Amino acid sequence: MSLRVAILISGGGSNMVTLADSMTGDHPGRPCLVLSNRPEAGGLAKAEARGIPTAVVDHRNYGKDRKAFEGEVQAALEGARADVICLAGFMRVLTAEFVTRWQGRMLNIHPSLLPKYKGLDTHARALAAGDAEGGCSVHLVTPELDDGPVLGQTRVEITADDTPESLAARVLVAEHELYPAVLRQFCMDFRHL
Ligand code: GAR
């Protein structure tokens, strides 16, 4: 039996595409749902084009009521019988209660070499600090933001003429290799637990 992998997005979903497209053949996982908190997220059409069920839970409908928002997300995940969640550019902070429910089964990709630069504007912060390299990390999600155990990282050299945009573009290419590789290994290990 394949592991059922739900992918949560907020935007273009390029990481979602590489994850979904990697789950074929002898891969232990299969995509069961792509869920976005933004109805206009470009990734939704890409998921539909791949025949993956999609769902939208628009956070703006819930105001400050994070629990109600997450209740709907949880219902969609249960409806899809998800075993594993991949956050892939999902730009909502999740409550400790939700994270704890999925702890050990929820992965995230973050565009920095964690523990450096948790949160936003990671590339601008790496450049402002004069770092010689940036990169990306895949980690298990724990209640503290961008803090869980790192499962894989890729380093990307920073050049003298880099802008946050040029660095982000190169890091994104690295993300597209890293995340599918980590997910595959994670699913293989998970099945043997
Ligand atoms: C990616 O660079 C991802 O690392 C980042 O958002 C982008 C989503 O791109 N995630 C975060 O910043 C999470 N804090 P995508 O929608 O094309 O995959």
Side-chain angles (χ1 to χ4, degrees), residues 8-100:
L8 272 52
I9 64 169
S10 298
S14 69
N15 276 291
M16 176 278 294
V17 165
T18 61
L19 291 175
D21 289 353
S22 74
M23 286 187 260
T24 59
D26 66 352
H27 195 294
R30 288 290 182 272
C32 67
L33 176 71
V34 169
L35 183 148
S36 173
N37 66 302
R38 293 176 62 240
E40 63 273 29
L44 288 168
K46 296 173 191 165
E48 279 159 19
R50 286 166 170 74
I52 305 167
T54 61
V56 173
V57 183
D58 188 340
H59 66 278
R60 289 166 296 198
N61 293 339
Y62 300 87
K64 289 193 177 9
D65 192 349
R66 280 187 192 271
K67 287 211 167 142
F69 166 72
E70 290 176 353
E72 286 302 310
V73 173
Q74 178 66 24
L77 292 166
E78 284 175 9
R81 291 180 289 117
D83 300 305
V84 172
I85 300 175
C86 288
L87 304 181
F90 183 70
M91 303 306 278
R92 301 300 296 169
V93 174
L94 296 163
T95 66
E97 190 181 336
F98 183 90
V99 171
T100 303

Side-chain angles (χ1 to χ4, degrees), residues 11-16 88-91 108-111 119 146 172 175-176:
S14 69
N15 276 291
M16 176 278 294
F90 183 70
M91 303 306 278
N108 181 43
I109 187 150
H110 184 73
D146 298 331
L172 193 60
E175 293 182 35
H176 295 163

Side-chain angles (χ1 to χ4, degrees), residues 27 46 53 69 95 99 104 107 124 134 158 171 177 183 190:
H27 195 294
K46 296 173 191 165
F69 166 72
T95 66
V99 171
L107 282 60
I158 292 178
V171 170
E177 288 223 356
L183 175 65
F190 190 94

